[in-house]
Structure formats: structure tokens, C-alpha cells
Amino acid sequence: MTTKEVIKHFGSVKAVGFFLNIEPAAIRLWGEQPPKGRQFELELRTGGALKVDADLLPAYFNTEA
């Protein structure tokens, strides 16, 4: 997921901050992608609406044959 996707999903940086209980300024420091831990938290807490980037997953989660 990208930071832009997260913001679009929630509607604003402020809403993302509220959801994660962090300051909006922290989100602005993420860059192109949220940190790995936040990506996993967002996937879990959004019920999969936002997905962790595949390259962050260990190789044994690779479902391609």
C-alpha cells in the first residue's frame, strides 16, 4: 500500500491519525509507503481493505507457483 492509498481510504491525513491514534504530522513523515508495522496494522484493522505490499512479506507467504 502507499501512503496516498491510506489517505484516500480514510479521506484525510487527520482521519488516518485518528484511526491509528497518532499525530497527523507523523503520517507526513512516512514518505511513499507507511512503515512495515503500520502496513500490517492497517491491513488487519481495515479487514483487508488495505493490503501490505507483497515485497514486505516473508518468502513463505508467496502464493505464486
Side-chain angles (χ1 to χ4, degrees), residues 1-13 15-16 19 42-43 45-51:
M1 77 186 67
T2 66
T3 300
K4 286 181 181 182
E5 290 171 336
V6 174
I7 295 167
K8 183 177 179 183
H9 177 81
F10 287 99
S12 70
V13 173
V16 176
F19 183 79
L42 286 162
E43 181 170 340
R45 293 187 60 202
T46 63
L50 295 168
K51 299 282 187 197

Side-chain angles (χ1 to χ4, degrees), residues 2-56:
T2 66
T3 300
K4 286 181 181 182
E5 290 171 336
V6 174
I7 295 167
K8 183 177 179 183
H9 177 81
F10 287 99
S12 70
V13 173
K14 185 177 179 180
V16 176
F18 181 79
F19 183 79
L20 295 173
N21 195 31
I22 60 175
E23 291 293 324
I27 297 157
R28 292 185 187 99
L29 297 174
W30 285 357
E32 292 290 318
Q33 295 181 315
K36 181 171 37 174
R38 289 293 183 191
Q39 286 196 37
F40 283 101
E41 178 182 4
L42 286 162
E43 181 170 340
L44 180 67
R45 293 187 60 202
T46 63
L50 295 168
K51 299 282 187 197
V52 173
D53 283 334
D55 24 327
L56 295 178

